[in-house]
């Protein structure tokens, strides 16, 4: 089958057509022509501001299957990812059972083989993600684990993190850790500040993140290896990572695409759809994140997609679970909130090139003869997310009913074309 992307603006810094408008012909999943002439095709995809880039990669998404399929299964996660423009997604190991065996890796890979989105397994660093005994990381790596993390449960023990960094060097493995000292953040509900004091809620101090970033960087300097911080959110953490990069440490980091959508002063009181971890911080932290994104200290943007069912969210604020769904809105939220910070090309880079570089994944190219791994989008189109149109099984989102700028039109991957209903 021949598919023509008519007059598409290409975003691919490796391509001679970068930021140029060209016709792109895809035949049986392979790009066969890029140029000014318009070839014949069986299907033509055309719109006023059609843009195309290499398929986007999400480095942080929770899936319920196995064990918690009522929150999200692999099919619904794939559908949500495709709707959000992601062709590849890293799945956290926090399922039931935890992804810590060859069987767990094989299950995810085989169950998702025919889906239009590639789901990459992340394996647990420690057994049952309890932070004590290391998992069999060499075996898990050989079975196909892309990287290692305890996901939503940050590694607390310095000795455990040190050993993990040493162990992973035997095969150049990558450790992902969310910096959070749970002794300091335990029972916290929102960012520690004037708003938490005014509402009478226990705060999550910025210090809980900052001391863990400092500790982990010291361990990395001692052991060597590669470390990636997931979901940074504070000014001091960004500055510490900036200095570590300047010193030559192999450290990278990401931020949730929604992190700058609100500050702690702006979120509606006691609305559990705004309860995330790390929490929405203050204005100083928000400005530091913008600067970190602009100067390259923060490498990637992630969805931080954490689906929760009604029974986990429709509760008193202090009893509700943390997390929101964001795969379908990740690009739009970032595009809306970062329009004064990143160009479209820079934003796309933090969703494509940088995640693949960090993970050691092949970089898809928009070139003749290459397999099509593409995201189609319009950075100027406005839309309003609605729960009845969401592909996720859960509906814990603060963005329903809010106008966003930047719409995903579809993806082309694995020889499959998935287009948005509105397109």
């Amino acid at each position: 089958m021949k598919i023509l992307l008519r007059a598409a603006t290409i975003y691919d810094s490796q391509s001679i057509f970068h930021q140029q408008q060209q016709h792109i012909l895809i035949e049986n999943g392979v790009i066969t022509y890029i140029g000014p002439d318009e070839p014949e095709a069986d299907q033509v995809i055309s719109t006023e501001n059609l843009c195309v880039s290499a398929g986007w990669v999400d480095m942080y998404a929770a899936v319920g299957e196995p064990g918690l399929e009522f929150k999200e299964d692999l099919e619904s996660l794939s559908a949500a990812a495709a709707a959000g423009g992601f062709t590849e997604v890293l799945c956290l190991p926090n399922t039931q059972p935890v992804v810590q065996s060859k069987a767990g890796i094989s299950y995810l890979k085989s169950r998702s083989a025919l889906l239009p989105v590639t789901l990459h397994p992340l394996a647990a660093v420690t057994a049952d993600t309890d932070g004590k005994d290391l998992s069999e990381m060499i075996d898990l790596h050989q079975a196909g684990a892309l990287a290692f993390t305890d996901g939503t449960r940050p590694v607390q023990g310095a000795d455990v993190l040190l050993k993990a960094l040493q162990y992973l060097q035997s095969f150049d493995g990558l450790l992902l850790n969310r910096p959070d000292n749970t002794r300091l953040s335990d029972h916290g509900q929102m960012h520690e500040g004037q708003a938490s004091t005014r509402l009478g809620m226990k705060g999550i101090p910025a210090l809980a993140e900052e001391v863990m970033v400092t500790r982990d960087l010291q361990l990395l300097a001692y052991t060597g290896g590669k470390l990636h911080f997931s979901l940074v959110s504070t000014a001091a953490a960004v500055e510490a990572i900036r200095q570590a990069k300047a010193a030559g440490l192999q450290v990278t980091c990401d931020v949730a695409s929604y992190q700058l959508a609100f500050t702690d002063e702006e979120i509606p009181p006691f609305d559990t759809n705004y309860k995330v971890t790390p929490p929405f911080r203050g204005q100083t932290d928000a400005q530091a994140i913008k600067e970190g994104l602009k100067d390259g200290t923060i490498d990637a943007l992630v969805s931080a997609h954490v689906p929760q069912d009604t029974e986990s969210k429709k509760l008193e604020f202090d009893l509700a679970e943390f997390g929101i769904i964001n795969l379908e809105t990740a690009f739009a939220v970032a595009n809306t909130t970062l329009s004064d910070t990143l160009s479209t090309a820079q934003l796309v880079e933090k969703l494509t090139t940088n995640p693949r570089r960090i993970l050691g994944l092949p970089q898809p190219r928009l070139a003749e003869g290459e397999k099509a791994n593409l995201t189609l989008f319009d950075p100027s189109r406005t839309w309003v997310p609605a729960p009845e149109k969401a592909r996720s099984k859960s509906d814990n989102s603060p963005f329903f009913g809010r106008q966003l700028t930047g719409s995903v039109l579809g993806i082309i991957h694995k020889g499959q074309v998935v287009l948005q209903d509105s397109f």
Side-chain angles (χ1 to χ4, degrees):
M1 182 174 179
K2 295 182 180 181
I3 300 168
L4 176 66
L5 306 182
R6 177 185 287 156
T9 301
I10 295 171
Y11 285 93
D12 179 4
S13 59
Q14 305 174 83
S15 172
I16 61 173
F17 301 113
H18 182 46
Q19 298 192 50
Q20 295 181 26
Q21 196 175 76
Q22 301 288 340
H23 300 301
I24 303 171
L25 184 67
I26 301 163
E27 297 184 53
N28 300 318
V30 176
I31 300 171
T32 57
Y33 174 78
I34 302 177
D37 300 326
E38 184 174 338
E40 294 184 358
D42 303 303
Q43 180 180 5
V44 177
I45 298 175
S46 177
T47 189
E48 184 177 351
N49 192 28
L50 175 61
C51 297
V52 60
S53 73
W56 301 343
V57 179
D58 185 28
M59 295 183 64
Y60 193 102
V63 61
E65 186 175 350
L68 301 168
E69 290 88 349
F70 56 91
K71 294 187 179 185
E72 198 84 283
D73 59 33
L74 296 177
E75 284 82 3
S76 62
L77 183 82
S78 175
F86 294 99
T87 62
E88 302 179 58
V89 175
L90 275 64
C91 298
L92 299 181
N94 309 96
T95 50
Q96 296 179 356
V98 169
V99 179
Q100 58 186 359
S101 67
K102 291 181 179 180
I105 299 290
S106 177
Y107 177 84
L108 188 146
K109 294 178 74 173
S110 61
R111 281 274 291 114
S112 62
L114 299 180
L115 298 175
V117 175
T118 299
L119 301 183
H120 295 289
L122 292 171
V125 176
T126 65
D128 298 322
T129 64
D130 64 5
K132 297 178 182 178
D133 300 318
L134 293 182
S135 63
E136 298 293 337
M137 286 187 277
I138 291 179
D139 287 347
L140 292 167
H141 167 69
Q142 293 173 345
L146 195 57
F148 296 85
T149 178
D150 277 354
T152 57
R153 303 183 67 181
V155 177
Q156 296 299 300
D159 57 331
V160 175
L161 193 82
L162 183 147
K163 291 174 184 175
L165 286 168
Q166 292 174 326
Y167 197 88
L168 287 167
Q169 289 179 61
S170 64
F171 55 89
D172 196 31
L174 175 67
L175 176 63
L176 286 69
N177 195 33
R178 189 171 69 79
D180 178 26
N181 185 313
T182 56
R183 292 290 185 91
L184 296 175
S185 63
D186 195 27
H187 301 301
Q189 304 299 317
M190 62 179 294
H191 174 61
E192 183 182 79
Q194 292 184 5
S196 65
T197 301
R198 186 167 60 250
L199 295 171
M201 289 198 287
K202 187 178 188 304
I204 300 174
L207 185 66
E209 178 174 308
E210 293 156 4
V211 298
M212 291 297 275
V213 167
T214 301
R215 183 206 72 171
D216 290 2
L217 289 174
Q218 289 177 330
L219 293 173
L220 181 66
Y222 178 78
T223 64
K226 297 190 299 186
L227 177 64
H228 178 86
F229 289 112
S230 299
L231 310 185
V232 297
S233 68
T234 69
V238 172
E239 180 57 29
I241 294 168
R242 181 181 289 116
Q243 293 179 14
K245 287 188 170 189
L249 295 185
Q250 292 190 79
V251 59
T252 52
C253 66
D254 64 54
V255 65
S257 78
Y258 59 69
Q259 192 64 45
L260 301 185
F262 312 99
T263 65
D264 61 325
E265 294 284 352
E266 295 170 336
I267 63 174
F270 309 112
D271 187 334
T272 60
N273 282 323
Y274 294 80
K275 185 177 181 180
V276 292
T277 180
F280 294 111
R281 300 286 187 183
Q283 193 58 49
T284 300
D285 296 309
Q287 186 58 41
I289 289 172
K290 284 188 175 183
E291 292 171 3
L293 285 164
K294 183 179 267 188
D295 67 18
T297 300
I298 300 174
D299 302 90
L301 290 161
V302 300
S303 74
H305 178 80
V306 180
Q308 301 286 4
D309 63 313
T310 301
E311 286 74 15
S312 300
K313 273 293 187 182
K314 302 298 183 183
L315 301 167
E316 293 85 350
F317 198 90
D318 60 326
L319 299 177
E321 296 286 349
F322 289 96
I324 63 176
I325 58 170
N326 191 43
L327 270 172
E328 297 170 68
T329 52
F331 167 72
V333 170
N335 189 59
T336 302
T337 59
L338 295 171
S339 59
D340 62 342
T341 304
L342 300 176
S343 66
T344 299
Q346 291 171 319
L347 181 58
V348 167
E349 186 177 64
K350 293 187 185 295
L351 294 168
T352 56
T353 309
N354 289 358
R356 289 189 173 92
R357 171 180 55 80
I358 293 167
L359 297 162
L361 290 171
Q363 296 280 359
R365 297 178 58 237
L366 273 80
E368 294 176 6
E370 295 286 325
K371 288 186 178 180
N373 181 349
L374 307 174
T375 297
L376 316 179
F377 63 101
D378 179 347
S380 63
R381 181 179 294 191
T382 60
W383 64 294
V384 178
E388 62 271 14
K389 295 182 180 180
R391 274 74 166 182
S392 175
K393 278 191 170 184
S394 297
D395 63 0
N396 50 310
S397 172
F399 300 111
F400 290 144
R402 291 179 176 269
Q403 180 172 288
L404 302 175
T405 302
S407 176
V408 171
L409 307 177
I411 64 167
I412 302 176
H413 184 45
K414 294 184 178 181
Q416 302 182 55
V417 181
V418 182
L419 298 179
Q420 291 281 56
D421 295 339
S422 60
F423 183 59

